[in-house]
Amino acid sequence: MTGNLGWRWHMTLNPRLVKESFAAVERVADKATAYFYGRLFAKNPHLRGMFPPSMDTQRDRLFGSLTRIVWSLDSPDGLAGYLEQLGRDHRKYGVSAEHYAAIGDALLATVRKFAEEWDEEIEAAWTAAYAAASGLMSRAAEEDAGQSPPWWLAEVIDHELRTPDIAVITLRPDQPMAYRPGQYVSVQTARWPRVWRPFSIANAPREDGTLRLHVRAVPGGWVSGSLVRHTRIGDTLLLGPPVGTMTLPQDASRDVLCVAGGTGLAPIKALVEQIVAAGRRREVHLLFGARRAEELYDLADLARLEARHPWLRVLPVVSDDPEYDGVRGKLPEVVERFHSWASHEVFVCGPPAMVDATTQRLQRAGVPLTRIHRDAVRGAP
């Protein structure tokens, strides 16, 4: 679908004007997002029912997506894949062409209100940028409608409580679901209608179509708490389409470093399973970190994988347990002191602060940013 997108994009857009005006909006993100949704619902009250009762997380996601889009306008080919994924994912909400128009009107009104400077040229730049982005999303959704459902029903066939707060859940979708290891799905439970939360898929595709989620119940986490404490075998969940870009490059041949903090292990484990299935003889180092030893919830299964595949080395790391007799420390520090990774392909997933710190240390150690694939842990409140 992307084709000569880069050429067409720059023929019609002015990224500089969009970025300069958005910088002022960024400084008042909370006010801007509140204004956006207030404007959207005031003019289109029928749209409120498409959103969850509490809008806090929704506001954060909106602004996070908008920020990524605006600051990626100079890289249209890379941005196209992200926009197409958003378009496919938004099908689960029932988004249609009329919704894109209403959202565009509210967005333009919001930027106009909070930008420090505004004129006809800036308005034209924003109008063109939104038309290009929403057009890509809409076309991707239309194409996907002929191939996949907007969401899947999935039966819980296993629910294993690994710690008081972490469950490993196995699901059987009612229809085949194509995905790449490293991607994630949004989950909705019957307990919280219209509330979707993202969780990474913890296995490579299987012949029986089942998939696993690693879920940590977090304070105030409606969906995560429901999945860990109230979900049982035989229950049914809704799954959105697979999305995410932390996947193995198609032509990957380098040795691999995987860094997983907590339930950030889920997509990392799927990637390791993909490497196993491919039969490639590359070396893989997996650093799996937690605060305390008992939170290394999947260590037994990782040990079995390591025993079967001598090219895989698993290193558990514990940060806050002085009695632990293995490697102790924060993951970013251990990564830096353990080995030289300059020639490796790197995958990092876990809490945002850990991901950022690990990325910075790897860059200082000579790993190009283009070879560091990263994602924040899925399944937030």
Side-chain angles (χ1 to χ4, degrees), residues 79-90:
L79 178 58
Y82 175 67
L83 290 169
E84 289 167 356
Q85 283 197 0
L86 278 182
R88 290 189 288 268
D89 185 54
H90 286 174

Side-chain angles (χ1 to χ4, degrees), residues 157 170-171 179 202-212 273:
I157 62 173
T170 306
L171 306 173
Y179 66 92
N203 58 278
R206 298 171 171 173
E207 289 187 6
D208 65 2
T210 61
L211 53 90
R212 277 189 163 184
E273 287 188 5

Side-chain angles (χ1 to χ4, degrees), residues 154-181:
E155 179 187 1
V156 178
I157 62 173
D158 193 35
H159 187 284
E160 185 179 353
L161 202 60
R162 297 284 178 87
T163 78
D165 296 322
I166 298 176
V168 174
I169 304 171
T170 306
L171 306 173
R172 181 186 290 118
D174 65 336
Q175 301 181 57
M177 174 186 285
Y179 66 92
R180 294 181 63 190

Side-chain angles (χ1 to χ4, degrees), residues 163 165-166 216 262 288-298:
T163 78
D165 296 322
I166 298 176
R216 180 193 294 273
F288 176 32
R291 289 167 297 181
R292 306 187 65 80
E294 57 266 27
E295 295 176 342
L296 296 169
Y297 64 92
D298 206 40

Side-chain angles (χ1 to χ4, degrees), residues 308-337:
R308 291 197 299 268
H309 305 286
W311 45 261
L312 171 64
R313 181 172 181 184
V314 178
L315 182 68
V317 180
V318 171
S319 62
D320 298 342
D321 187 350
E323 297 182 1
Y324 181 66
D325 61 2
V327 176
R328 296 202 302 267
K330 303 288 187 183
L331 268 175
E333 300 164 2
V334 175
V335 167
E336 190 172 44
R337 73 172 188 250

Side-chain angles (χ1 to χ4, degrees), residues 67-369:
T67 300
R68 176 170 177 174
I69 292 167
V70 168
W71 295 113
S72 301
L73 287 175
D74 285 323
S75 305
D77 291 322
L79 178 58
Y82 175 67
L83 290 169
E84 289 167 356
Q85 283 197 0
L86 278 182
R88 290 189 288 268
D89 185 54
H90 286 174
R91 290 181 59 216
K92 69 177 186 282
Y93 300 113
V95 173
S96 65
E98 68 171 288
H99 300 140
Y100 281 115
I103 290 168
D105 289 343
L107 175 62
L108 199 63
T110 301
V111 180
R112 185 186 301 118
K113 178 175 177 61
F114 291 97
E116 293 176 351
E117 295 183 12
W118 194 261
D119 57 28
E120 290 183 358
E121 190 177 10
I122 297 173
E123 179 153 351
W126 271 95
T127 301
Y130 183 76
S134 62
L136 266 178
M137 294 168 66
S138 182
R139 287 191 295 275
E142 290 175 4
E143 290 185 6
D144 194 57
Q147 305 172 25
S148 301
W151 39 261
W152 284 252
L153 287 172
E155 179 187 1
V156 178
I157 62 173
D158 193 35
H159 187 284
E160 185 179 353
L161 202 60
R162 297 284 178 87
T163 78
D165 296 322
I166 298 176
V168 174
I169 304 171
T170 306
L171 306 173
R172 181 186 290 118
D174 65 336
Q175 301 181 57
M177 174 186 285
Y179 66 92
R180 294 181 63 190
Q183 292 190 305
Y184 59 92
V185 292
S186 296
V187 179
Q188 181 182 144
T189 69
R191 195 180 185 92
W192 295 109
R194 303 195 314 278
V195 179
W196 295 86
R197 293 293 181 266
F199 296 93
S200 293
I201 302 171
N203 58 278
R206 298 171 171 173
E207 289 187 6
D208 65 2
T210 61
L211 53 90
R212 277 189 163 184
L213 307 179
H214 294 181
V215 182
R216 180 193 294 273
V218 297
W222 295 3
V223 177
S224 63
S226 178
L227 289 172
V228 171
R229 300 192 177 100
H230 304 291
T231 298
R232 301 290 182 266
I233 293 174
D235 287 352
T236 299
L237 306 175
L238 287 181
L239 306 180
V243 293
T245 58
M246 196 185 74
T247 56
L248 278 174
Q250 297 288 353
D251 59 348
S253 59
R254 298 177 180 273
D255 290 342
V256 174
L257 166 66
C258 297
V259 184
T263 52
L265 175 65
I268 296 296
K269 192 173 181 184
L271 291 167
V272 171
E273 287 188 5
Q274 181 183 13
I275 294 171
V276 168
R280 297 177 184 173
R281 302 292 298 178
R282 73 185 86 183
E283 296 291 321
V284 179
H285 286 81
L286 168 54
L287 277 64
F288 176 32
R291 289 167 297 181
R292 306 187 65 80
E294 57 266 27
E295 295 176 342
L296 296 169
Y297 64 92
D298 206 40
L299 200 55
D301 198 42
L302 291 175
R304 286 190 288 270
L305 265 176
E306 185 179 29
R308 291 197 299 268
H309 305 286
W311 45 261
L312 171 64
R313 181 172 181 184
V314 178
L315 182 68
V317 180
V318 171
S319 62
D320 298 342
D321 187 350
E323 297 182 1
Y324 181 66
D325 61 2
V327 176
R328 296 202 302 267
K330 303 288 187 183
L331 268 175
E333 300 164 2
V334 175
V335 167
E336 190 172 44
R337 73 172 188 250
F338 183 68
H339 198 284
S340 173
W341 309 111
S343 62
H344 286 61
E345 202 82 30
V346 182
F347 298 86
V348 188
C349 189
M354 183 280 286
V355 172
D356 290 342
T358 301
T359 301
Q360 291 168 8
R361 287 174 182 261
L362 287 167
Q363 284 186 272
R364 289 202 301 265
V367 183
L369 191 58

